[in-house]
Amino acid sequence: MARPAARVLTLLELLQSGGVRTVTELAGRLGVDGRTVRRYVDHLLDLDVPVESVRGRYGGYRLAPGYRVPPLMLSDEEALAVLLGLVAGRRAGLMTATGTASETAAAKIRRVLPERLARRLDTVLGSLAFTAPAGEFAAPESAVLLCIADAVRHHRPVSIRYTAADGRRSERTLHPYGLVAHSGRWYVTGADPGIGEDRTFRLDRIADARTLPGSFEPPAGLDPAQRVLSGLAQAPYRHQVTLRIQATAEQIRARLPASVVSIEEAAADADPQAEGWLRVDLRAERLDWVPAVLASLDRPFVIERPDELRGLVVALAERLAASARSG
């Protein structure tokens, strides 16, 4: 027969699954009478677990938000999902500046796992490989992330203290449209009413964020992720590359990331030969990777600028031809 303490924990697990649970339902699941269910609820309340009593025909008990996280009862699959999510989140850079929080959370769950489940987890982690190495990412402050997320949801303006890549510091007002995770970094995109333009900011460069009075209405049909990618593609880089490629936009984007490239149709009215060609503006810190990407695209292209890229493409073609003739 289950001990009362075990039944109290089972009651907590039932309430954590969500919704209102009637006394009759709980009594049946626990194998006790209604009076005992109420006594178990009192035990949870004594432990500061926020259990609410719901009156009415379909009343019963439910778990309410509390001032702290109550003890969590996780199934084997839930515990495994949480731990794998923490591992993946750390590698992807999706954590805040208090990065040790994910490690301590994982350690706490790992310590209380049943031995059989711990062995299964070790088996998964021991056999798991990643196609990309773990990156070193600057993470945002938790308070900044939570403040801006709340402002996005409720369409509230925020004041931020920002440090640009060149070290310049500024304080500005932002109407945040959305949070975007891209390549291991957090971004916020929105309107800067001070200059009347849309801007994108890295969250790890925001030292402080606070909500301001008032509200704003975001544009209809907004796509924050696309705005961030477009903003990154227009950011200044060392090399400005202009190409004309005879291909579809989908074929080009399959090889060139949207964060560094912008695509538009070539002017067919000015040049009858331009039909089916797209103008591609590419920004890059280095050019050495571009020839290989153009070769993998395997579509006709014309380099408009820079001349340096022409030499790199010719050199790659000569190396490929020499390798094909060798042996």
Side-chain angles (χ1 to χ4, degrees), residues 158 177 204 236:
V158 292
Y177 297 153
D204 60 280

Side-chain angles (χ1 to χ4, degrees), residues 76-132:
D76 289 1
E77 291 74 15
E78 289 170 339
L80 185 61
V82 170
L83 288 168
L84 290 177
L86 289 171
V87 171
R90 285 200 302 271
R91 291 187 62 91
L94 300 183
M95 56 184 179
T96 61
T98 52
T100 55
S102 63
E103 297 175 3
T104 56
K108 287 180 180 179
I109 297 176
R110 179 67 175 78
R111 278 197 300 269
V112 298
L113 288 179
E115 185 177 351
R116 58 181 177 76
L117 181 57
R119 288 197 302 267
R120 291 173 60 189
L121 174 65
D122 291 339
T123 299
V124 172
L125 295 180
S127 61
L128 182 62
F130 295 88
T131 57

Side-chain angles (χ1 to χ4, degrees), residues 30-322:
L30 296 172
V32 297
D33 57 25
R35 182 177 180 180
T36 304
V37 169
R38 296 183 181 91
R39 189 169 72 250
Y40 290 167
V41 168
D42 289 338
H43 288 327
L44 292 177
L45 291 171
D46 289 341
L47 295 171
D48 289 332
V49 177
V51 181
E52 288 184 340
S53 176
V54 180
R55 298 183 180 277
R57 180 180 178 183
Y58 300 103
Y61 294 104
R62 67 184 176 193
L63 200 61
Y67 70 91
R68 63 181 176 86
V69 179
L72 289 176
M73 302 294 293
L74 300 176
S75 67
D76 289 1
E77 291 74 15
E78 289 170 339
L80 185 61
V82 170
L83 288 168
L84 290 177
L86 289 171
V87 171
R90 285 200 302 271
R91 291 187 62 91
L94 300 183
M95 56 184 179
T96 61
T98 52
T100 55
S102 63
E103 297 175 3
T104 56
K108 287 180 180 179
I109 297 176
R110 179 67 175 78
R111 278 197 300 269
V112 298
L113 288 179
E115 185 177 351
R116 58 181 177 76
L117 181 57
R119 288 197 302 267
R120 291 173 60 189
L121 174 65
D122 291 339
T123 299
V124 172
L125 295 180
S127 61
L128 182 62
F130 295 88
T131 57
E136 293 293 334
F137 305 108
E141 296 290 339
S142 300
V144 169
L145 175 63
L146 295 174
C147 175
I148 293 180
D150 184 74
V152 168
R153 180 173 184 179
H154 297 101
H155 304 160
R156 301 283 300 277
V158 292
S159 174
I160 63 173
R161 288 194 290 114
Y162 191 73
T163 302
D166 59 7
R168 288 181 299 171
R169 297 180 180 180
S170 61
E171 185 166 348
R172 61 188 73 206
T173 298
L174 179 69
H175 292 174
Y177 297 153
L179 289 168
V180 177
H182 172 67
S183 296
R185 300 193 187 280
W186 292 90
Y187 295 88
V188 58
T189 182
D192 186 334
I195 60 175
E197 296 179 0
D198 287 349
R199 296 293 306 275
T200 294
F201 300 99
R202 272 175 44 179
L203 255 65
D204 60 280
R205 291 179 177 164
I206 298 177
D208 180 61
R210 54 187 175 86
T211 306
L212 299 175
S215 62
F216 66 90
E217 191 63 32
L222 180 69
D223 185 347
Q226 188 56 49
R227 282 178 179 260
V228 168
L229 291 176
S230 298
L232 293 175
Q234 296 169 9
Y237 284 82
R238 181 179 177 185
H239 298 284
Q240 306 292 319
V241 178
T242 302
L243 307 163
R244 283 186 292 115
I245 304 178
Q246 191 178 38
T248 65
E250 290 73 19
Q251 289 172 322
I252 295 172
R253 290 196 176 100
R255 291 289 185 267
L256 292 167
S259 58
V260 299
V261 69
S262 58
I263 303 173
E264 63 182 36
E265 292 187 9
D269 54 346
D271 181 5
Q273 301 296 322
E275 185 175 356
W277 289 74
L278 296 177
R279 178 188 174 92
V280 176
D281 289 316
L282 173 68
R283 292 160 178 82
E285 286 296 318
R286 295 162 45 195
L287 292 176
D288 54 358
W289 60 271
V290 179
V293 173
L294 293 175
S296 70
L297 185 60
D298 195 22
R299 300 295 302 171
F301 65 88
V302 175
I303 299 172
E304 294 189 354
R305 64 169 181 168
D307 289 337
E308 180 185 352
L309 180 58
R310 304 178 197 275
L312 293 174
V313 171
V314 170
L316 174 63
E318 291 175 346
R319 290 197 303 273
L320 292 174

